[in-house]
């Protein structure tokens, strides 16, 4: 059997090129519907996880247990970045009928996941010791069963993404959330500590696997074709390498905190990182579930791709900035109000982590765009440079400023080095600097005004519950007024910067 082509110029079986006019309205409706479902899904899941975190932190688990969980979660995310060798993205990206090569994808994904888990099981005590938390060994061995379950679910999940079937994906994620939450809370209440997170994650992932198979029936079939496997590995391994580097960037900070500070500090950092992540990830995850598939369909039309990227970036930044400003500017009062006095040290890192979250949203969207247009080498170079610079900066930050120094180091590297490099890579891919500037200009101006309002009103009104609500409402109103001029661009009724679409 001939391996599917990865050439972006190949036509689909209907004979129409991917960007044909008669396909555009259908694609637009699919992307719009998928984006709405994805946003609702992500908001519900993230808010649910946020509420569960509050309950666990207030009533069941202290900073030490959160530190152990942070170590296990870090290792799990690193393994998940490479457990299927990047081949599952072919289900979304390659043209033609994916059922022809899906069995080979599943075989590769399952085999690599099993090998990774076996290696982790054997090395768990050593890994936990190196990361400064020897007691995390057992939690690692249980939680990382998720690696195998995730490897099996990649193919049916890929079919759902390819079809923009985010409504069915929401049902799958709901099963995952309900099972993982129920098991985690039940075990935490019985005194299982960090192990409650591990068994909750396994239960949720097992439910998600079953849900994916029901939502995309007939896709969990094993098979093997040598030519397909060779083509899939050629396509996937560079992406897996870039993804592994990206997850390394995201997960080096807790490793640095655990090895250079102590488990208590790690617990505070993990909580601060989780707080910074939930509002940002609501927006980012909702977008990324459709952005790669959408950019892939536009990859052969540079102007459409550039305009689509600009509007997507504008929407993401516009929605995210006020969340980041509110949580960053009111970090101390919010942490104490929601989690209690004993978690107050976590607030030291939160403002910087909110700034980092905003930067990462743009970088992640750029990552998806560069993957869609086939610039995998650029991604590896960017992520490799990021990781190379990050480690020494974070070690220095941890030793001089604790968890706040670690957060500041991340913002410094991301803002001063990584963002400019991504801009150069996007420019070479056809997305000009003017488009990016137009997408971000009004939201960033509004964010600056909003930050001034937050700081001024907090000093004036204090940090009581009613005062915080009044401050948040007034500052958000200021932001809304500032970003009004950009609404035409975000809705697509105003043209993207005309100057940016001209050829050099």
């Amino acid at each position: 059997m001939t391996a599917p082509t990865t050439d972006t110029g190949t036509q689909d079986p209907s004979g129409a090129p991917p960007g044909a006019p008669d396909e555009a309205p259908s694609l637009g409706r699919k992307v719009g519907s998928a984006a709405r479902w994805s946003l609702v899904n992500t908001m519900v899941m993230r808010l649910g996880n946020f509420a569960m975190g509050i309950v666990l932190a207030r009533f069941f688990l202290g900073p030490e247990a959160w530190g152990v969980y942070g170590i296990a979660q870090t290792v799990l995310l690193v393994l998940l970045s490479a457990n299927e060798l990047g081949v599952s993205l072919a289900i979304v990206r390659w043209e033609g009928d994916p059922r022809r090569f899906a069995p080979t994808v599943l075989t590769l994904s399952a085999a690599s996941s099993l090998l990774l888990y076996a290696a982790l099981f054997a090395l768990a005590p050593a890994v936990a010791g190196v990361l400064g938390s020897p007691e995390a060994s057992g939690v690692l061995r249980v939680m990382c069963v998720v690696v195998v379950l995730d490897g099996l679910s990649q193919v049916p999940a890929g079919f759902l993404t390819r079809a923009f079937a985010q409504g069915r994906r929401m049902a799958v994620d709901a099963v995952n959330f309900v099972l993982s939450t129920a098991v985690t809370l039940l075990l935490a209440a019985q005194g299982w500590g960090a192990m409650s997170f591990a068994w909750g994650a396994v239960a949720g992932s097992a439910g998600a696997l079953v849900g994916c198979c029901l939502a995309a029936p007939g896709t969990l079939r094993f098979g093997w074709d040598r030519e397909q496997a060779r083509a899939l590995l050629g396509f996937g391994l560079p992406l897996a390498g870039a993804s592994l580097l990206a997850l390394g960037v995201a997960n080096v900070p807790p490793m640095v905190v655990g090895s250079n500070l102590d488990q208590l500090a790690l617990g505070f950092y993990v909580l601060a990182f989780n707080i910074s992540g939930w509002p940002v990830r609501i927006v980012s995850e909702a977008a990324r579930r459709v952005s790669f598939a959408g950019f892939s369909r536009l990859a052969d039309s540079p102007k459409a791709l550039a305009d689509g990227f600009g509007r997507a970036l504008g929407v993401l930044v516009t929605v995210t900035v006020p969340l980041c400003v509110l949580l960053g500017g009111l970090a101390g009062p919010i942490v104490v109000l929601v989690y209690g006095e004993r978690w107050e040290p976590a607030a030291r890192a939160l403002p910087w982590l909110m700034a980092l979250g905003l930067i990462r949203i743009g970088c992640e969207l750029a990552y998806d765009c560069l993957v869609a247009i086939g610039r995998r080498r650029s991604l590896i170079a960017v992520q490799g440079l990021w990781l190379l610079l990050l480690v020494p900066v974070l070690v220095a930050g941890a030793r001089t400023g604790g968890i706040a120094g670690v957060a500041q180091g991340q913002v410094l590297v991301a803002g001063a080095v990584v963002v400019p490099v991504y801009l150069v890579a996007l420019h070479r891919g056809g997305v000009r600097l003017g488009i990016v500037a137009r997408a971000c200009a009004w939201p960033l101006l509004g964010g600056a005004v909003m930050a001034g309002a937050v700081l001024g009103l907090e000093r004036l009104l204090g940090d009581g519950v009613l005062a915080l609500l009044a401050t948040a409402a007034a500052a958000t109103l200021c932001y809304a007024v500032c970003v009004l001029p950009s609404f035409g661009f975000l809705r697509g009724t105003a043209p993207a910067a005309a100057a940016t679409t001209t050829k050099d």
Side-chain angles (χ1 to χ4, degrees), residues 139-164:
V139 178
L140 277 173
R141 284 174 167 166
V142 173
M143 183 175 281
C144 288
V145 172
V146 172
V147 171
V148 178
L149 298 172
D150 180 78
L152 292 172
S153 68
Q154 286 297 313
V155 168
F159 274 88
L160 295 178
T161 300
R162 183 184 180 100
F164 297 100

Side-chain angles (χ1 to χ4, degrees), residues 25-114:
S26 175
L27 176 60
R29 285 193 296 271
K30 287 181 178 179
V31 172
S33 175
R36 287 190 292 272
W37 274 110
S38 183
L39 180 59
V40 172
N41 179 15
T42 310
M43 286 182 66
V44 172
M45 298 305 121
R46 281 285 168 182
L47 289 173
N49 284 322
F50 176 62
M52 185 184 74
I54 294 173
V55 173
L56 290 171
R58 271 194 168 271
F59 302 110
F60 300 115
L61 304 176
E64 294 82 0
W66 279 90
V68 173
Y69 164 65
I71 289 294
Q73 184 185 47
T74 296
V75 174
L76 174 62
L77 290 175
V78 171
L79 294 181
L80 288 176
S81 69
N83 69 319
E84 38 75 59
L85 303 178
V87 297
S88 66
L89 286 177
I91 300 292
V92 181
R93 181 67 181 89
W94 280 8
E95 297 172 12
D97 183 4
R99 292 181 184 270
R100 292 191 299 116
F101 53 89
T104 304
V105 172
L106 181 60
T107 301
L108 286 169
S109 180
S112 60
S113 298
L114 283 168

Side-chain angles (χ1 to χ4, degrees), residues 22-427:
D22 60 343
E23 181 186 338
S26 175
L27 176 60
R29 285 193 296 271
K30 287 181 178 179
V31 172
S33 175
R36 287 190 292 272
W37 274 110
S38 183
L39 180 59
V40 172
N41 179 15
T42 310
M43 286 182 66
V44 172
M45 298 305 121
R46 281 285 168 182
L47 289 173
N49 284 322
F50 176 62
M52 185 184 74
I54 294 173
V55 173
L56 290 171
R58 271 194 168 271
F59 302 110
F60 300 115
L61 304 176
E64 294 82 0
W66 279 90
V68 173
Y69 164 65
I71 289 294
Q73 184 185 47
T74 296
V75 174
L76 174 62
L77 290 175
V78 171
L79 294 181
L80 288 176
S81 69
N83 69 319
E84 38 75 59
L85 303 178
V87 297
S88 66
L89 286 177
I91 300 292
V92 181
R93 181 67 181 89
W94 280 8
E95 297 172 12
D97 183 4
R99 292 181 184 270
R100 292 191 299 116
F101 53 89
T104 304
V105 172
L106 181 60
T107 301
L108 286 169
S109 180
S112 60
S113 298
L114 283 168
L115 287 173
L116 271 179
Y117 179 72
L120 181 277
F121 190 91
L123 297 173
V127 171
V130 168
L131 296 179
S133 184
E135 59 271 35
S137 175
V139 178
L140 277 173
R141 284 174 167 166
V142 173
M143 183 175 281
C144 288
V145 172
V146 172
V147 171
V148 178
L149 298 172
D150 180 78
L152 292 172
S153 68
Q154 286 297 313
V155 168
F159 274 88
L160 295 178
T161 300
R162 183 184 180 100
F164 297 100
Q166 291 300 319
R168 281 177 281 169
R169 182 62 184 266
M170 181 174 178
V172 172
D173 289 345
V175 171
N176 187 336
F177 173 74
V178 170
L179 286 175
S180 63
T181 300
V183 171
T184 301
L185 289 175
L186 178 63
L187 296 181
Q190 295 179 355
W192 285 54
M195 188 64 79
S196 58
F197 287 113
W199 284 112
V202 171
S205 295
L209 173 59
V210 174
C212 281
C213 294
L214 294 175
T219 57
L220 200 67
R221 292 190 303 110
F222 290 93
W224 185 256
D225 182 289
R226 183 178 298 177
E227 291 184 6
Q228 287 180 352
R230 186 181 299 114
L232 286 165
L233 290 172
F235 170 82
L237 285 177
L239 295 179
S243 181
L244 185 61
L245 290 171
L247 263 294
V249 167
N251 292 286
V252 157
M255 295 180 182
V256 169
V257 173
S259 58
N260 286 273
L261 298 176
D262 54 37
Q263 194 166 305
L264 190 64
L266 178 59
F268 291 133
Y269 178 85
V270 169
L271 186 77
F273 184 80
N274 287 346
I275 296 171
S276 72
W278 76 261
V280 173
R281 306 311 297 184
I282 283 176
V283 180
S284 179
E285 287 182 10
R288 297 196 79 187
R289 288 187 175 182
V290 297
S291 62
F292 176 66
F295 290 150
S296 295
R297 304 290 178 89
L298 300 174
D300 293 326
S301 177
K303 184 180 184 303
L305 178 69
D307 289 346
F309 178 86
R311 277 191 287 272
L313 179 63
V315 170
L316 290 180
V317 175
T318 300
V319 174
T320 309
V321 163
L323 300 174
C324 293
V325 171
L326 287 176
L327 277 176
L330 301 173
I334 288 176
V335 169
V336 172
L337 176 66
V338 175
Y339 292 95
E341 292 282 350
R342 67 172 174 170
W343 291 100
E344 186 175 11
R348 298 169 191 164
L350 187 54
W352 300 100
L353 290 176
M354 296 311 307
L356 177 67
L358 182 61
I359 294 172
R360 290 187 69 88
I361 276 190
C363 292
E364 288 172 356
L365 193 70
Y367 181 101
D368 288 344
C369 183
L370 293 173
V371 171
I373 61 178
R375 294 185 172 270
R376 297 189 289 275
R377 292 183 179 178
S378 297
L379 288 174
I380 292 175
V382 172
Q383 299 297 333
L385 176 65
W386 196 344
L387 186 59
L388 181 65
L389 294 176
L390 194 61
V391 174
V393 172
L394 294 192
V395 170
R399 292 175 178 175
T400 58
I403 62 173
V406 171
Q408 291 164 358
Q410 292 177 78
V411 175
L412 175 63
V413 174
V417 179
V418 178
V419 169
V421 173
Y422 260 123
L423 290 175
V424 171
L426 286 171
H427 179 82

